[in-house]
């Protein structure tokens, strides 16, 4: 059962009036503050909600906060890492939109907040099309509110498992919004380090890339141990209590994810070093993880 403290953390969705075919107006229950999807497991931490807590959001439960605080004890800069991750994603989205890419497939999107890739892309291209994909029912709830505020012809939320690319790509909502015969930016932001080696992360990337034409983009951010494997392993154990375990990969493994693409400058680099907007932060070496953008040949 969700207590009042937990319930207060998931509010904030606007009530939405829905008019049925017979003209009767009703309230969409999924957008009422405090409503919970019946299939949502509130007893186990979820990566998207852990990130939400670390980024200062409101849509999380006590179990997510506890997992996040465990990670922070071992990696105190975890919040800064996630903030830099969001900043990288925004820069990459702006770069691709300015280069003419107007379709974005955000895989493992988490809870889309302010300045999600849809917001960023549409500042460069008002007609940009975005599909958010995640398997957490909470993301679907939040996504409905997002779509209600955006143009539904250009935005969709798909509840699906990215480990099954064929099912994701066949989803009618995705097909409604995205034209897979035109370039698409495939965004795997803080996603692949939650895919186990035996689940074939490189094959998953290849399957998504195979579905889109030349000129499409691959955006990846992936955690590393920052050269401190013992500390990193202790932080990773915080995810043992979550729905997704974390798997570190080295630079060679991350570079291999970009097979079939041309990696654009500055290459596979720490987040703050990827086309920074301003002065480089002095502690950039403490921002663990590598990022890159590749263009399909």
């Amino acid at each position: 059962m969700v207590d009042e403290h937990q319930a207060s953390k998931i509010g904030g969705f606007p009530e939405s009036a829905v008019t049925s075919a017979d003209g009767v107006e009703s309230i969409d229950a999924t957008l009422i503050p405090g409503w919970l999807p019946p299939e949502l497991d509130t007893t186990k931490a979820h990566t998207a909600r852990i990130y939400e807590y670390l980024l200062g959001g409101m849509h999380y439960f006590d179990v997510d906060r506890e997992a996040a605080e465990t990670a922070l004890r071992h990696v105190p800069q975890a919040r800064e890492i996630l903030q830099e991750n969001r900043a990288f994603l925004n820069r990459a989205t702006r770069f691709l939109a300015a280069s003419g890419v107007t379709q974005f497939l955000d895989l493992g999107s988490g809870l889309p907040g302010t300045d999600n890739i849809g917001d960023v892309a549409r500042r460069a291209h008002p007609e940009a099309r975005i599909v958010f994909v995640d398997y957490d029912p909470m993301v679907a709830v939040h996504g409905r509110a997002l779509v209600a505020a955006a143009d539904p012809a250009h935005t969709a939320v798909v509840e699906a498992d990215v480990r099954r690319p064929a099912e994701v790509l066949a989803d009618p909502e995705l097909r409604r919004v995205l034209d897979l015969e035109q370039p698409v930016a495939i965004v795997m932001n803080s996603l692949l380090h939650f895919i186990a080696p035996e689940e074939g992360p490189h094959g998953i990337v290849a399957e998504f890339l195979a579905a889109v034409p030349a000129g499409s983009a691959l955006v990846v951010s992936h955690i590393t141990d920052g050269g401190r494997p013992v500390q990193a392993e202790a932080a990773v154990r915080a995810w043992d209590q979550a729905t997704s375990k974390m798997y570190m990969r080295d630079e060679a493994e991350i570079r291999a994810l970009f097979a079939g693409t041309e990696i654009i400058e500055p290459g596979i680099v720490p987040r703050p070093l990827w086309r920074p907007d301003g002065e480089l932060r002095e502690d950039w070496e403490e921002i663990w993880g590598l990022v890159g953008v590749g263009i399909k040949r």
Side-chain angles (χ1 to χ4, degrees):
M1 182 175 180
V2 181
D3 62 28
E4 291 182 1
H5 172 69
Q6 290 177 314
S8 70
K9 292 298 182 183
I10 60 165
F13 298 112
E15 292 189 6
S16 176
V18 178
T19 303
S20 64
D22 59 7
V24 176
E25 190 177 81
S26 62
I27 296 297
D28 182 352
T30 64
L31 299 182
I32 296 175
W35 181 86
L36 284 175
E39 67 273 32
L40 187 67
D41 183 358
T42 63
T43 66
K44 198 168 184 63
H46 187 282
T47 298
R49 299 192 303 264
I50 294 173
Y51 280 9
E52 174 80 353
Y53 173 80
L54 289 171
L55 286 169
M58 295 181 61
H59 309 295
Y60 61 86
F61 300 104
D62 287 345
V63 67
D64 307 305
R65 174 181 51 77
E66 291 163 5
E69 289 294 340
T70 298
L72 283 168
R73 283 197 292 273
H74 299 288
V75 184
Q77 72 274 33
R79 284 195 172 93
E80 287 77 10
I81 290 173
L82 289 183
Q83 289 165 356
E84 286 290 340
N85 194 65
R86 176 73 60 85
F88 155 72
L89 179 59
N90 288 353
R91 295 196 302 273
T93 300
R94 288 199 305 268
F95 169 82
L96 291 171
S99 301
V101 177
T102 61
Q103 300 190 110
F104 293 81
L105 178 57
D106 190 357
L107 298 168
S109 61
L111 292 162
T114 303
D115 262 0
N116 62 70
I117 65 171
D119 296 334
V120 175
R122 289 195 182 104
R123 282 199 284 272
H125 269 288
E127 297 300 307
R129 295 173 175 267
I130 295 91
V131 173
F132 300 95
V133 180
D134 204 287
Y135 72 106
D136 183 1
M138 182 62 76
V139 172
V141 173
H142 195 92
R144 291 188 185 101
L146 173 74
V147 172
D151 180 354
H154 294 79
T155 309
V157 177
V158 172
E159 189 177 337
D161 191 336
V162 300
R163 291 170 293 189
R164 295 194 282 271
E167 294 181 16
V168 174
L169 292 163
D171 187 273
E173 277 292 281
L174 182 148
R175 293 283 181 163
R176 177 182 65 79
V177 172
L178 300 182
D179 179 358
L180 298 185
E181 294 185 359
Q182 299 298 320
V184 177
I186 298 171
V187 179
M188 296 182 163
N189 185 49
S190 292
L191 167 68
L192 294 167
H193 47 243
F194 295 111
I195 306 294
E198 60 270 20
E199 292 172 324
H202 295 79
I204 290 171
V205 175
E207 193 168 346
F208 277 109
L209 279 174
V212 295
S216 294
L218 174 66
V219 180
V220 170
S221 72
H222 199 297
I223 196 68
T224 64
D225 64 13
R228 300 179 185 177
V230 175
Q231 184 181 359
E233 180 58 31
V236 164
R237 284 198 293 272
W239 263 261
D240 288 346
Q241 54 187 300
T243 54
S244 300
K245 293 189 176 183
M246 185 181 287
Y247 301 87
M248 301 284 182
R249 293 187 173 91
D250 60 26
E251 181 177 352
E253 292 174 300
I254 295 170
R255 185 173 297 275
L257 295 165
F258 288 87
T261 74
E262 179 181 351
I263 301 173
I264 65 172
E265 292 295 333
I268 308 299
V269 295
R271 295 173 176 91
L273 300 186
W274 199 93
R275 299 176 180 248
D277 289 328
E279 186 175 345
L280 186 65
R281 60 189 297 159
E282 293 182 0
D283 64 344
W284 64 266
E285 291 181 312
E286 295 300 314
I287 307 301
W288 300 356
L290 295 172
V291 301
V293 177
I295 305 299
K296 183 176 177 180
R297 297 190 288 266

